[in-house]
Amino acid sequence: MKLSGFQQWLKDTMGLDASTIGPTIVERAVQRRMAACGRADLGQYWQLLRDSALEQQELIEAVVVPETWFFRDNQAFAALARNYDPLWAATRPAQRLRLLSLPCSTGEEPYTMVMALQDAGFPLERLDVEAIDISERALSKARQGRYGSNSFRGRELEFRERHFEATAEGWQLPKSIRSRVNFSQGNVLDLGFLPGESLYDAIFCRNLLIYFDAQTQLRTVEVLRRLLRPDGLLFVGPSEASLLLSLNFVSAQFPMAFAFRKAPARAVDAPAATASVRAIAAPTQPRAAAPLRKPIAPLRPTPARPAAAAAASVDESLLDQAQTLADNGRLAEALAACRKYLQAHGPSARALYLSGLIDSASGREREAEQHFRKVLYLEPCHEEALMHLALLLETRGDAAGGRVLRTRAERCRGAAAVGRRP
Ligand SMILES: C[S@@+](CC[C@H](N)C(=O)[O-])C[C@H]1O[C@@H](n2cnc3c(N)ncnc32)[C@H](O)[C@@H]1O
């Protein structure tokens, strides 16, 4: 039995394409599980895996990437609250708002949906949030609703004081918010996944498709299409946006929210199943310059990392302004503000990354690539820049280049986990 057999099993079972997280992660996970079960070689462990559903779940737990935090890519939550506002509720007195967070990981995403809607005045008693993940371990943490500092990133944290209670064990969410979310275990690739379910008004499927190969991405998007109401919103992660455009979804025109709707039937040229997933454009958000009417919170594409935050001594207000402009769809002005900041302060990973996102949103892929490369020159382990660039290269047909960047991201993640530089 070879390691590749385990990689294939993970791909067939949960969709994980080992090359997206790096084969050494899978190798280490298998070795850890072998040691935990007292199996001396791969063959013995394979036998156990085949016969034991419990061990199958353990191996899955060992490879999942549960990375998440509150208000991650927060324009998505602003767009959700803007679309489903109190007026929406008032004009549909008999309708409940049904939302799905898939995958929900440790719960930060579905709880953020509830907080964003509550802040916007939506009647919470009319809200149902389903939250699903393959990881039992992540779900058991989610159900507790208690979080440490890693779940709060960036500098806009006033929501924590408003919604959480500080306890000796961490920040605790109240029952009024926890009770709106129903957590359950599920695998999006299971044939019977959410059968006959009433449709959802909005689905958040963020930062899952990046771990799948083209065929599995296609299969997953078809599941999401089946579960989404005809007028519903589908939110994906920043580096997954271009995939949706190639699969009969259209931008919902919420700047930087990475939100999509099903394409109207007349706009469909070819059936989704025939679309070539690898023929997708670089990870760009379509031109989405329509201004946001009432932004709830500014875009924070790059959460301040503790070390970087401590080192930042320059005045960040110009960059904050650039982010607000970008949030409001004023992309040209946002880019101009980034340039001004860079001229005044010299190279800055945050300014360059925001410039790359704006280029990406405006369809300027070459410029986006240059900006992301500059970010990596300054911060070699900037994960978002690594993932954006990997997808840019892959969609241009440079699979080897993409692989190099993904492997680098994996090394960085591993190094961060043990607290050293890669
Ligand atoms: C990086 S987290 C994303 C969490 C959240 N959506 C976000 O963007 O912050 C990825 C999650 O996907 C889950 N996952 C991986 N494969 C899955 C599958 N086949 N079905 C359901 N969940 C899966 C993992 O357990 C992990 O918690």
Side-chain angles (χ1 to χ4, degrees):
M1 188 63 199
K2 290 194 183 134
L3 186 68
S4 57
F6 292 91
Q7 290 174 357
Q8 189 61 46
W9 181 84
L10 286 166
K11 190 169 186 169
D12 295 342
T13 308
M14 62 178 290
L16 178 69
D17 177 352
S19 70
T20 65
I21 56 167
T24 57
I25 298 265
V26 174
E27 187 177 354
R28 268 184 253 138
V30 169
Q31 279 166 358
R32 260 201 323 276
R33 289 311 308 157
M34 273 170 57
C37 307
R39 295 300 191 273
D41 62 43
L42 289 177
Q44 283 180 19
Y45 180 61
W46 178 250
Q47 288 260 290
L48 172 68
L49 187 70
R50 276 202 355 216
D51 296 343
S52 161
L54 271 182
E55 187 50 36
Q56 292 174 6
Q57 185 63 27
E58 286 296 342
L59 185 57
I60 288 172
E61 299 285 352
V63 296
V64 291
V65 182
E67 188 77 353
T68 186
W69 58 93
F70 289 107
F71 286 93
R72 179 180 194 175
D73 291 314
N74 66 5
Q75 282 308 302
F77 301 100
L80 178 78
R82 193 170 322 109
N83 204 64
Y84 301 106
D85 61 5
L87 187 63
W88 182 96
T91 49
R92 295 162 181 79
Q95 199 175 322
R96 299 181 69 76
L97 180 60
R98 281 176 52 75
L99 307 180
L100 174 64
S101 165
L102 163 74
C104 64
S105 188
T106 38
E108 286 86 335
E109 182 177 272
Y111 287 139
T112 304
M113 291 167 159
V114 181
M115 287 187 272
L117 286 163
Q118 185 180 42
D119 289 349
F122 190 91
L124 287 198
E125 66 281 5
R126 303 255 312 272
L127 172 67
D128 299 311
V129 182
E130 283 296 323
I132 300 176
D133 200 281
I134 200 169
S135 164
E136 289 283 10
R137 213 162 283 160
L139 289 167
S140 99
K141 183 168 189 296
R143 288 188 186 101
Q144 289 176 7
R146 199 168 51 238
Y147 294 92
S149 57
N150 206 29
S151 300
F152 302 93
R153 306 191 196 176
R155 290 174 296 136
E156 300 271 326
L157 294 180
E158 53 81 32
F159 71 89
R160 189 168 65 184
E161 317 301 326
R162 260 185 303 119
H163 290 289
F164 291 76
E165 188 196 335
T167 73
E169 290 82 35
W171 294 90
Q172 178 69 54
L173 270 170
K175 190 147 184 261
S176 56
I177 288 184
R178 278 185 292 133
S179 64
R180 302 321 320 166
V181 185
N182 180 38
F183 290 100
S184 58
Q185 202 251 355
N187 178 352
V188 69
L189 296 183
D190 277 352
L191 286 178
F193 184 73
L194 296 182
E197 194 68 23
S198 353
L199 303 183
Y200 292 95
D201 295 292
I203 299 177
F204 276 53
C205 183
R206 307 190 309 162
N207 305 301
L208 176 67
L209 297 166
I210 42 170
Y211 299 110
F212 291 170
D213 69 3
Q215 209 184 359
T216 315
Q217 286 173 337
L218 190 62
R219 197 167 139 197
T220 306
V221 171
E222 290 317 308
V223 172
L224 301 173
R225 195 192 306 279
R226 165 171 69 76
L227 293 171
L228 190 65
R229 280 176 61 107
D231 57 346
L233 287 173
L234 173 59
F235 293 85
V236 294
S239 13
E240 298 158 335
S242 56
L243 172 65
L244 271 285
L245 290 177
S246 71
L247 295 176
N248 292 343
F249 279 84
V250 293
S251 167
Q253 302 288 310
F254 292 114
M256 308 303 226
F258 314 105
F260 295 85
R261 295 184 193 280
K262 291 179 184 181
R266 61 187 158 69
V268 174
D269 298 319
T274 64
S276 156
V277 178
R278 281 301 170 212
I280 58 178
T284 58
Q285 176 73 343
R287 269 164 237 275
L292 299 184
R293 273 179 291 119
K294 39 173 187 163
I296 287 174
L299 166 75
R300 290 280 170 262
T302 317
R305 289 134 221 251
S313 58
V314 290
D315 169 28
E316 296 281 290
S317 68
L318 184 58
L319 215 39
D320 290 340
Q321 207 183 323
Q323 296 209 251
T324 307
L325 286 165
D327 293 343
N328 284 282
R330 293 159 64 182
L331 299 183
E333 290 163 79
L335 193 58
C338 284
R339 284 207 187 106
K340 200 165 154 195
Y341 179 92
L342 288 164
Q343 271 164 11
H345 299 293
S348 138
R350 187 180 164 209
L352 290 164
Y353 180 65
L354 181 57
S355 305
L357 279 184
I358 295 167
D359 284 332
S360 208
S362 312
R364 291 187 299 271
E365 287 152 22
R366 290 277 164 202
E367 288 86 343
E369 178 181 342
Q370 280 169 10
H371 277 127
F372 293 138
R373 284 198 187 282
K374 284 181 187 165
V375 173
L376 293 176
Y377 183 73
L378 296 175
E379 269 190 38
C381 278
H382 194 292
E383 192 165 347
E384 296 90 342
L386 282 166
M387 295 309 273
H388 267 277
L389 207 47
L391 249 137
L392 263 168
L393 297 189
E394 284 162 3
T395 51
R396 198 186 292 156
D398 182 1
R403 218 168 15 252
V404 168
L405 291 164
R406 286 179 189 278
T407 307
R408 179 161 148 193
E410 176 213 344
R411 273 209 313 273
C412 289
R413 237 178 271 135
V418 293
R420 59 175 167 73
R421 290 176 70 84

